[in-house]
Amino acid sequence: MRSVSNRLRPDTKSVAAERAYDQQLLTSLIGDIYDAALDDALWPTALERSAIFVGGVGASLFARDTAAIAGNVYHNFGIDPYYQKLYFDKFSGLDPLTMPHLSAEYEQPVATSDLMSYEEFAETRFYREWIRPQSLVDFVGVVLEKSASTITVFGVFRHERDGLVDEAVRRRMTLLAPHIRRAILIRRIVDAKDAKAATFADTFDGLTSGLYIVDETGRILHANRAGKFMLTARSPMRMAGGKLVASEPQSAQALRNVIAAANIGGASLSDDLALPLTGECGERYVAHILPLASRGRHDVSRPAIAAVFVRRVTLPLPSPPGVIGRAFRLTAAELRVLYAIVEIGGVPEVAAALGVAETTIKTHLGHLFEKTGATRQADLVKLVAGYASPISVQPT
């Protein structure tokens, strides 16, 4: 059986030709996806094209709670509203994909046919009363967001004439998923800004990372407080002619290239756009670039094409300092040793720095292992990293 997307694509004689054609379609499609991130009215068209690209007759962006008894469809194409409501009223808990979605990795395609055979699926009540009446046969979805109470999923429905999800469908879903997820993130940012622009800016100013919003030329449209401080210090970033420039010459060209890549769009956007930087005194930084639009899809009212986050490659300690101590009932001495292990290193170095015997440090270390469940010093470092705050506590 041929999929919907296959009926629209030319006959190809090799896997390479098929994949090249997929990339051509994807380049055009992601523009629609990022436009929809800024205009909800465009989501039905974007989902229709997404369904066709992946190989299905319908597509949905929806949320379900972690108890799997309720949910909400944000945007939909191809599924009757009656069945949307029926799903959350009656069948969400019976869907074989409910639990796999709760545990799935971000952007990992999961299909019903991955979990059970078609014959087994056909015996379920969910299939008989919800899938079969719509002439559907399979569903492939990816998790985009998770919280303590909900998960957000993007999925494509397969019609019975098109057959079960195959490797080509999974591959196209894998290509598409990062862009759908990024569009949702952009929507969250836009919603927050529209809700209260001043508060939104204040929140950015509270970040420990430098944040720069730039246009296609690298011109700085907005910088948060940490970002402005870096520009003033001219390390590791500086401003030249209103544009964001890396202070280190070899990194400056690399930054221009990464911003250009963010502006082009296409499959390259699914890569991790990251850049190592070096400060004036040799300290290490890393810049992460989040593309906000694809070329030809922004105008004077939406000139931003990328958000650039710059942070120092260090391990910030938890803030306030006592939070990890309260969590694990650590004494003041144990907390001091824990932070020293993170900042200084091994037992001999910590003992010398604190002016106590190595046996004393080993005793405190044993208590730390017992209280936190860690078994190695590296585990303690990871534990502290988990409690580190992304919010700056430096005075304005």
Side-chain angles (χ1 to χ4, degrees):
M1 290 180 285
R2 294 164 63 87
S3 72
V4 172
S5 57
N6 283 339
R7 292 201 302 273
L8 297 181
R9 61 185 67 231
D11 290 334
T12 52
K13 298 182 180 180
S14 70
V15 172
E18 177 75 4
R19 294 190 175 187
Y21 186 70
D22 284 344
Q23 294 288 358
Q24 179 183 351
L25 290 180
L26 180 65
T27 300
S28 172
L29 172 57
I30 61 173
D32 289 340
I33 292 171
Y34 291 126
D35 279 351
L38 301 175
D39 185 351
D40 283 349
L42 301 178
W43 270 115
T45 298
L47 290 179
E48 178 179 9
R49 293 196 62 197
S50 297
I52 292 173
F53 174 75
V54 173
V57 294
S60 288
L61 269 172
F62 62 93
R64 59 158 49 111
D65 67 21
T66 52
I69 58 175
N72 178 54
V73 176
Y74 297 133
H75 304 288
N76 169 72
F77 163 75
I79 301 299
D80 189 285
Y82 166 79
Y83 282 101
Q84 293 180 45
K85 185 176 186 302
L86 185 64
Y87 178 85
F88 290 111
D89 287 348
K90 189 175 182 180
F91 290 106
S92 178
L94 300 177
D95 184 349
L97 284 176
T98 295
M99 293 309 298
H101 279 157
L102 294 176
S103 59
E105 298 292 331
Y106 290 122
E107 303 173 18
Q108 173 192 352
V110 180
T112 309
S113 50
D114 293 334
L115 308 176
M116 61 181 65
S117 68
Y118 174 75
E119 290 73 20
E120 292 174 307
F121 186 37
E123 293 297 321
T124 66
R125 181 184 174 192
F126 177 65
Y127 175 88
R128 295 195 308 269
E129 298 183 23
W130 198 86
I131 293 290
R132 186 174 181 180
Q134 300 178 79
S135 298
L136 303 177
V137 70
D138 206 350
F139 175 86
V140 58
V142 292
V143 174
L144 306 177
E145 289 184 316
K146 292 183 182 181
S147 72
S149 59
T150 62
I151 60 170
T152 302
V153 177
F154 163 68
V156 171
F157 298 87
R158 294 274 287 181
H159 194 276
E160 60 185 13
R161 66 172 173 265
D162 302 317
L164 302 177
V165 169
D166 56 20
E167 288 307 311
V169 171
R170 291 185 182 88
R171 178 173 56 80
R172 294 179 200 124
M173 195 69 166
T174 301
L175 289 173
L176 190 59
H179 303 290
I180 299 286
R181 187 180 176 202
R182 192 170 292 143
I184 296 300
L185 173 61
I186 293 169
R187 182 73 248 179
R188 297 283 186 266
I189 294 174
V190 171
D191 285 345
K193 185 173 183 179
D194 289 345
K196 198 170 184 180
T199 300
F200 187 64
D202 288 345
T203 300
F204 276 168
D205 279 343
L207 297 177
T208 55
S209 297
L211 167 66
Y212 308 94
I213 306 297
V214 300
D215 69 7
E216 60 186 4
T217 68
R219 181 170 60 94
I220 300 173
L221 304 177
H222 175 79
N224 71 346
R225 184 172 58 201
K228 290 175 182 177
F229 179 83
M230 290 179 184
L231 295 177
T232 301
R234 299 178 65 83
S235 177
M237 314 301 294
R238 62 186 177 88
M239 184 167 62
K243 297 180 180 180
L244 184 65
V245 179
S247 301
E248 197 177 27
Q250 58 265 40
S251 298
Q253 182 60 52
L255 179 62
R256 288 193 292 270
N257 293 342
V258 173
I259 292 176
N263 186 45
I264 290 172
S268 63
L269 293 188
S270 62
D271 298 335
D272 181 15
L273 300 182
L275 177 68
L277 302 170
T278 303
E280 185 179 17
C281 298
E283 62 272 28
R284 296 182 181 276
Y285 293 81
V286 62
H288 291 276
I289 294 85
L290 174 69
L292 300 180
S294 58
R295 184 171 60 184
R297 294 287 174 170
H298 52 274
D299 53 31
V300 293
S301 65
R302 297 190 316 216
I305 65 100
V308 182
F309 297 86
V310 181
R311 64 178 179 85
R312 190 170 178 177
V313 184
T314 58
L315 180 61
L317 295 180
S319 177
V323 63
I324 196 169
R326 293 194 299 272
F328 294 98
R329 300 182 183 277
L330 304 182
T331 66
E334 290 164 353
L335 191 60
R336 186 172 64 153
V337 169
L338 173 62
Y339 285 176
I341 289 290
V342 172
E343 294 184 311
I344 300 172
V347 170
E349 295 82 5
V350 169
L354 299 183
V356 299
E358 290 187 20
T359 53
T360 301
I361 300 300
K362 289 179 180 178
T363 298
H364 288 313
L365 194 57
H367 294 160
L368 288 171
F369 288 154
E370 180 179 352
K371 290 183 177 181
T372 65
T375 57
R376 304 174 302 159
Q377 292 182 33
D379 295 332
L380 294 175
V381 175
K382 292 178 182 179
L383 178 67
V384 172
Y387 278 83
S389 173
I391 307 303
S392 172
V393 294
Q394 298 177 353
T396 57

